[in-house]
Amino acid sequence: MKKRKIIILRTILLLVPFLIMGCALLAAKRPSEVSTDTLTEPTAPVVEYRNTELGFSFSLPVSWEGFSVQTSNWEGLKSGETGDEVVEQGLMLTIVHPKSTAQQPRQDIPLMVFTIEQWGQMQSGEWYIGAAPVGPLELGRNSRYVFALPARYNYAFPEGWDEVEQIVQGHPLVTFEPNAAP
């Protein structure tokens, strides 16, 4: 009986410091004592590309002020008897950094625009885009379009690729219904 009391007493003595630390941590995190200043992070100023025709906006850091947008087309391919055949096409918008030049190119931000039907066809393997083993990365969609980043868009690692990676990680694309306010 005496040994049992000693074991219980030792257990209690070992647990008391942990209980005290736990109570102290809980008391330190009471919402009434937390300043609201620490709950909000300052928002960095942004430059926005807005396309009401397609129904999306794309936020960029202020360093991209003066950017330009170039348009081209992506091609969906299907293997045929004579090689790859173009079976689909769609719009590609490329947001170009204002300091990018032919002599010193910077990483652009290419956005592929798919109809919902095209996206489904590509996902089901009816056709493919490029030789990359993975397809484009969906950034967002509305009721008509899917907006995606091409696979391996930054494979050459030009100047600014890491900045673009950070921009993309920040979920800069916001969709809304085309020709309507968000």
Side-chain angles (χ1 to χ4, degrees):
M1 184 74 156
K2 188 175 180 181
K3 283 186 177 183
R4 186 174 177 166
K5 285 182 182 180
I6 291 173
I7 292 172
I8 293 172
L9 185 59
R10 283 184 182 169
T11 304
I12 292 172
L13 290 174
L14 287 172
L15 291 176
V16 167
F18 293 107
L19 291 171
I20 292 171
M21 286 185 348
C23 290
L25 286 173
L26 286 174
K29 291 187 175 186
R30 287 190 305 187
S32 62
E33 295 178 10
V34 176
S35 166
T36 56
D37 293 346
T38 61
L39 295 178
T40 57
E41 295 180 17
T43 305
V46 295
V47 173
E48 183 181 77
Y49 169 59
R50 186 174 192 80
N51 188 314
T52 57
E53 185 179 325
L54 296 172
F56 77 95
S57 65
F58 198 94
S59 297
L60 299 159
V62 172
S63 61
W64 283 66
E65 190 163 3
F67 68 88
S68 61
V69 177
Q70 297 174 351
T71 60
S72 60
N73 289 315
W74 56 260
E75 294 181 336
L77 306 170
K78 188 172 189 174
S79 294
E81 290 180 19
T82 59
D84 290 340
E85 300 173 14
V86 176
V87 295
E88 281 293 331
Q89 289 188 52
L91 180 64
M92 170 93 79
L93 299 172
T94 303
I95 303 172
V96 181
H97 193 284
K99 292 184 180 174
S100 188
T101 65
Q103 297 77 26
Q104 281 194 301
R106 293 183 58 88
Q107 179 65 61
D108 299 328
I109 304 172
L111 297 173
M112 302 174 86
V113 182
F114 296 85
T115 64
I116 299 293
E117 183 181 6
Q118 286 173 328
W119 185 256
Q121 291 169 348
M122 184 193 61
Q123 293 294 315
S124 68
E126 292 180 37
W127 45 267
Y128 60 92
I129 295 178
V134 295
L137 172 68
E138 181 176 343
L139 297 177
R141 67 173 62 203
N142 57 32
S143 64
R144 293 187 201 164
Y145 303 107
V146 174
F147 306 98
L149 195 62
R152 297 176 30 178
Y153 72 95
N154 62 359
Y155 71 93
F157 300 107
E159 184 178 346
W161 72 268
D162 49 344
E163 179 186 24
V164 169
E165 185 67 24
Q166 282 185 318
I167 291 169
V168 171
Q169 293 298 318
H171 307 287
L173 187 126
V174 175
T175 61
F176 49 88
E177 290 311 302
N179 295 319

